[in-house]
């Protein structure tokens, strides 16, 4: 909605959006009003995930300007519930999944990440997420949520962040076993 008439024409979206052009501040105010209508924290989380998919700039504006209110929504405690309900919350891949089946090919998996200029990485093994037990790949919400805060609070561009889930299916979590897998 913030695209100027010229931008809409250049992008071929003129007529596909309502004619009213709203500023980013107007969109943020409207989004916060819509978000606050949800009483259930998981619904608020889903709203924010959808917003991130639709309008990354607006998502980070809301998060950076309303950090105290939104941190419990995009990170703990709500992210734990979202991880448990990962099938419901999963919209698109938001990180890199490395499994035990990637042994010997981890570098090839990492090369598949579309961004080469990564400035921060958050890794989870999906175990003991907020006391919820081993969530495996469903634990991806933890690094995604934490990195969203890195963007909102530290200004690191989101494309320079890499959330990773190591799902190595081990019950013995000694360090040498994990290092062996990453060889």
């Amino acid at each position: 909605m913030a695209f100027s008439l010229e931008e809409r024409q250049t992008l071929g979206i003129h007529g596909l959006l309502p004619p009213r052009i709203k500023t980013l501040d107007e969109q943020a105010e409207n989004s916060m009003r819509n978000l606050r209508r949800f009483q259930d924290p998981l619904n608020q989380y889903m709203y924010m995930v959808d917003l991130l998919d639709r309008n990354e700039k607006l998502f980070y504006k809301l998060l950076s300007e309303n950090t105290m209110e939104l941190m419990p929504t995009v990170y703990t405690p709500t992210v734990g519930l979202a991880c448990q309900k990962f099938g419901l919350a999963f919209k698109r891949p938001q990180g890199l999944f490395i499994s035990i089946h990637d042994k010997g090919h981890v570098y090839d998996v990492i090369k598949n990440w579309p961004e080469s200029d990564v400035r921060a990485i958050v890794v989870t093994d999906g175990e003991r997420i907020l006391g919820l037990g081993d969530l495996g790949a469903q634990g991806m919400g933890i690094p995604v949520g934490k990195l969203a805060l890195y963007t909102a609070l530290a200004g690191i561009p989101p494309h320079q962040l890499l959330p990773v889930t190591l799902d190595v299916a081990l019950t013995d979590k000694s360090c040498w076993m994990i290092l062996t897998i990453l060889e």
Side-chain angles (χ1 to χ4, degrees):
M1 301 274 291
F3 294 108
S4 68
L5 178 59
E6 295 79 24
E7 290 170 325
R8 292 171 185 220
Q9 290 169 336
T10 300
L11 295 170
I13 59 173
H14 181 73
L16 300 178
L17 297 173
R20 168 91 158 71
I21 297 172
K22 291 186 177 181
T23 67
L24 192 57
D25 287 336
E26 289 173 314
Q27 291 178 67
E29 184 180 317
N30 187 51
S31 293
M32 286 304 295
R33 188 172 42 254
N34 288 334
L35 177 69
R36 288 175 180 138
R37 289 181 183 156
F38 294 109
Q39 297 301 310
D40 179 39
L42 187 57
N43 287 333
Q44 291 177 337
Y45 176 87
M46 295 297 298
Y47 180 89
M48 291 299 289
V49 168
D50 287 342
L51 181 60
L52 178 59
D53 280 343
R54 284 190 327 271
N55 191 332
E56 186 176 88
K57 186 174 185 176
L58 181 57
F59 172 87
Y60 286 112
K61 178 178 179 59
L62 290 184
L63 188 54
S64 65
E65 292 180 0
N66 301 279
T67 305
M68 294 303 289
E69 180 178 352
L70 295 179
M71 190 180 307
T73 300
V74 300
Y75 198 54
T76 60
T78 308
V79 73
L81 180 59
C83 286
Q84 287 180 305
K85 308 279 187 188
F86 186 69
L88 298 174
F90 185 82
K91 299 289 184 185
R92 65 176 173 82
Q94 291 184 299
L96 197 60
F97 295 89
I98 300 173
S99 80
I100 195 161
H101 305 292
D102 298 318
K103 181 179 180 179
H105 304 284
V106 172
Y107 181 71
D108 296 326
V109 173
I110 293 170
K111 286 190 328 188
N112 289 332
W113 188 249
E115 179 60 47
S116 61
D117 185 21
V118 173
R119 301 296 173 102
I121 300 170
V122 174
V123 179
T124 184
D125 65 359
E127 186 172 314
R128 296 183 324 192
I129 303 260
L130 305 173
L132 301 173
D134 187 354
L135 297 178
Q138 289 181 238
M140 181 59 86
I142 297 297
V144 168
K146 188 173 284 191
L147 288 171
L149 294 174
Y150 287 16
T151 294
L153 301 175
I156 302 171
H159 67 275
Q160 293 181 325
L161 303 173
L162 175 56
V164 177
T165 294
L166 291 178
D167 191 4
V168 293
L170 297 174
T171 55
D172 179 2
K173 292 288 185 179
S174 60
C175 290
W176 69 267
M177 292 181 85
I178 292 174
L179 292 174
T180 301
I181 290 167
L182 295 176
E183 289 178 343

